[in-house]
Amino acid sequence: MKNSFPLLTTSLPLHLAQEELLNRQPGQTGSPDQAVGGCLVLTGSLNYALVRRVVDHLPVMFDVFRWQFDLAEAAPRVTITDQFRRPILPLLDCSENPNPRQAADAWAINWFVKPFDLADRRFFDLALLRVSDYEHRLLVRGHRLLLDDAGFDRLIRYITEAYSAMQADEPMPSQAPSYADEVESARVYLNSLAYSEDHVYWQKQFADLPSPLLNEQATGQFLTRQLYRLPADESFGRTLNLAVASTGAAPADLLLAALTIYFSRAGQQSVCVFGRVVAGRQSKRQRSTLGRFDCLLPIQIKYDPDQTLPMLLRTIKRQSRADGSHRFYPMSHLIQRLSDTNGPQARLFDVLVKHIPPVPVFPIEGLECRVERYASAEGDVPLQLLWRDNETQRSASLQLIGNPAYLSMRDARNLSYCVEHLLLDFAHRPEAAVGTFGSTAPLTRTRSATAYTRCHPSSQIGRLAMF
């Protein structure tokens, strides 16, 4: 197949969103927590040759498939070359297994959590699983350096569009905008007035590092990379829907309000700081580009027991909007100013709230398509709450990913129960004062050695990774 891009070999710095990832997670580039992706379930008669042609065309369509990193350098850079390798697409036949779908699920989860081979410099992986003559699963995962949730959706959309075009003998989709061009745009921002304004804004928001909501236990340090996952809770989703209907507030604001009440009482502090995943894609061009754009922003919320719930929700909404207008400022710049340079890497937050976007629908003539998203974790955040909207034929739900060195699984379950209880109270008394809502159990800071299940490739808890 003839390449449609000009011959080139160029070196350039990383995008600001990529730099932020490396600054937040030094030394974790090869961690299994660095994968973003999912699974495209295809029901019907699949043409293997067309799938192979679509995959072969990926480096032509998206320049990030031709990116190579040298992360050992003090200032990592990327090299983009026209001499790309054809993406590998292994085919695994699970149809002879007594339970082919279960076998495919188990293989997929093990594959998703496998660390990237940094020496091989492959930062995208694909695989095709055959469940039967009329059911296949196309697995796609990319490193966080080159893929975010919106990028995964863009990649799956291209795969389905290209397959349909080849099937109908129509022209291929037009080439996607280059992520390399976005790198230059991001660098221009660093020398702009907007950067200076954002710098002043975040300095006013954080004069000092906030008090942590979770403290690391010395006895748990050896487990800091062994994350656990609690099952996606659909009971929570039903309760969240009730609270949304009763208050008219956004689900994210209600969840932040409940967490503020919980942690303020558990830690006896009046200000809580949480993290949020904020989309960095603003323009139509960026929405068509494959690459990392997402950023993590802190949100600082004050707890006042005399404040009514509507007042608290309005405060959260205003704060989210104000912070969002300054989203492009690198938080590592702020942390560097606030941190003790001789101490360990500091964090602005240790509890992250992440919204899992709705699963898109990508039709292919003659095939029924279903997308399953891989709910990946941010490797350096002790506790992460991933919530999903109510979708067609799927309930809203909450999934917790935790680090037992900071919070045991038992305490994480308690947190989930208390947050759901608070949301139910919100639904029943939407105008009440914050201090009158149902009390939560205290947050136990001790860690039970047997109270969690490690998130390991061989563990059944791995099945919970598909959201």
Side-chain angles (χ1 to χ4, degrees):
M1 181 180 296
K2 184 178 179 181
N3 296 342
S4 61
F5 52 84
L7 298 180
L8 59 89
T9 300
T10 186
S11 176
L12 67 158
L14 302 183
H15 190 281
L16 290 184
Q18 295 173 317
E19 282 191 358
E20 279 294 281
L21 179 67
L22 294 180
N23 289 334
R24 287 192 297 107
Q25 302 180 11
Q28 295 189 32
T29 311
S31 166
D33 302 320
Q34 297 301 330
V36 177
C39 172
L40 179 63
V41 181
L42 302 163
T43 305
S45 181
L46 186 68
N47 187 321
Y48 292 163
L50 291 188
V51 175
R52 178 71 262 177
R53 288 175 60 192
V54 170
V55 170
D56 286 347
H57 198 259
L58 288 175
V60 178
M61 183 70 181
F62 303 104
D63 68 329
V64 292
F65 278 90
R66 294 179 273 122
W67 281 38
Q68 293 185 348
F69 296 92
D70 188 354
L71 300 175
E73 297 291 332
R77 296 180 66 84
V78 61
T79 299
I80 307 176
T81 175
D82 62 291
Q83 299 296 324
F84 62 86
R85 293 178 291 178
R86 190 175 76 163
I88 296 175
L89 183 66
L91 173 62
L92 179 69
D93 192 348
C94 303
S95 61
E96 299 299 324
N97 192 282
N99 191 329
R101 288 180 179 171
Q102 186 179 48
D105 285 344
W107 193 92
I109 293 302
N110 287 343
W111 182 81
F112 271 122
V113 300
K114 181 177 65 175
F116 285 92
D117 184 355
L118 303 186
D120 191 47
R121 295 188 174 185
R122 288 191 183 275
F123 281 67
F124 274 98
D125 290 329
L126 300 99
L128 184 62
L129 307 185
R130 181 178 182 271
V131 179
S132 70
D133 289 343
Y134 294 97
E135 183 176 338
H136 295 79
R137 301 184 181 187
L138 180 62
L139 308 180
V140 178
R141 73 168 192 155
H143 197 283
R144 284 186 184 277
L145 283 169
L146 290 176
L147 198 65
D148 51 25
D149 286 328
F152 168 71
D153 293 345
R154 174 70 181 97
L155 181 56
I156 294 297
R157 181 185 299 112
Y158 164 73
I159 290 173
T160 56
E161 289 176 350
Y163 184 94
S164 298
M166 290 181 179
Q167 192 176 43
D169 199 22
E170 295 176 350
M172 292 284 287
S174 57
Q175 189 172 355
S178 169
Y179 187 55
D181 293 341
E182 295 297 329
V183 172
E184 177 60 26
S185 299
R187 293 287 157 179
V188 169
Y189 162 76
L190 289 177
N191 298 309
S192 69
L193 178 61
Y195 174 85
S196 300
E197 293 174 345
D198 293 344
H199 178 75
V200 172
Y201 174 84
W202 288 111
Q203 277 192 316
K204 290 181 179 178
Q205 292 296 308
F206 293 94
D208 300 293
L209 281 171
S211 299
L213 301 179
L214 299 172
N215 294 315
E216 185 173 10
Q217 305 297 307
T219 56
Q221 289 180 353
F222 71 101
L223 289 171
T224 54
R225 298 290 291 278
Q226 302 286 339
L227 304 180
Y228 59 76
R229 295 175 184 265
L230 295 185
D233 186 353
E234 295 192 356
S235 170
F236 161 86
R238 292 189 292 270
T239 304
L240 180 60
N241 289 342
L242 285 175
V244 170
S246 180
T247 63
D253 295 344
L254 286 166
L255 185 54
L256 286 171
L259 288 171
T260 299
I261 295 172
Y262 179 90
F263 279 104
S264 294
R265 294 177 181 176
Q268 298 183 346
Q269 56 194 71
S270 59
V271 176
C272 295
V273 178
F274 303 100
R276 298 175 298 139
V277 177
V278 181
R281 298 168 185 264
Q282 297 298 297
S283 65
K284 182 178 180 180
R285 174 186 173 86
Q286 290 174 338
R287 288 190 288 271
S288 299
T289 305
L290 211 60
R292 178 177 178 83
F293 289 88
D294 283 354
C295 50
L296 270 61
L297 289 187
I299 179 170
Q300 192 166 209
I301 306 173
K302 183 178 181 181
Y303 174 76
D304 180 356
D306 297 326
Q307 193 177 37
T308 65
L309 177 61
M311 293 168 62
L312 175 59
L313 291 171
R314 285 195 294 270
T315 298
I316 293 173
K317 187 175 184 178
R318 286 196 298 267
Q319 190 65 50
S320 297
R321 286 180 175 174
D323 293 346
S325 63
H326 302 276
R327 69 180 64 188
F328 299 111
Y329 183 78
M331 288 295 109
S332 60
H333 292 196
L334 178 63
I335 292 173
Q336 185 178 14
R337 183 183 64 81
L338 298 176
S339 300
D340 176 5
T341 55
N342 297 321
Q345 179 74 18
R347 282 192 298 262
L348 286 174
F349 53 84
D350 43 30
V351 177
L352 177 71
V353 179
K354 180 179 180 181
H355 174 234
I356 304 299
V359 175
V361 177
F362 302 121
I364 298 179
E365 185 175 354
L367 289 173
E368 179 183 331
C369 302
R370 187 179 81 251
V371 177
E372 296 285 351
R373 195 185 300 279
Y374 177 58
S376 56
E378 297 286 342
D380 64 331
V381 182
L383 181 65
Q384 299 164 59
L385 294 88
L386 284 58
W387 66 277
R388 186 189 69 202
D389 284 315
N390 189 36
E391 304 170 21
T392 304
Q393 299 181 339
R394 302 183 73 178
S395 301
S397 62
L398 175 73
Q399 181 179 116
L400 271 69
I401 303 176
N403 186 329
Y406 292 84
L407 191 71
S408 72
M409 177 178 276
R410 179 184 61 188
D411 292 332
R413 289 186 188 278
N414 177 65
L415 182 152
S416 177
Y417 169 81
C418 292
V419 168
E420 183 178 349
H421 179 76
L422 283 166
L423 290 172
L424 188 61
D425 215 358
F426 291 172
H428 291 159
R429 300 188 298 126
E431 301 294 330
V434 170
T436 66
F437 287 111
S439 61
T440 61
L443 179 63
T444 305
R445 300 272 177 164
T446 58
R447 179 183 58 83
S448 169
T450 59
Y452 63 89
T453 302
R454 298 182 186 182
C455 185
H456 189 272
S458 62
S459 172
Q460 288 299 312
I461 204 76
R463 288 177 58 82
L464 306 173
M466 299 304 291
F467 216 130

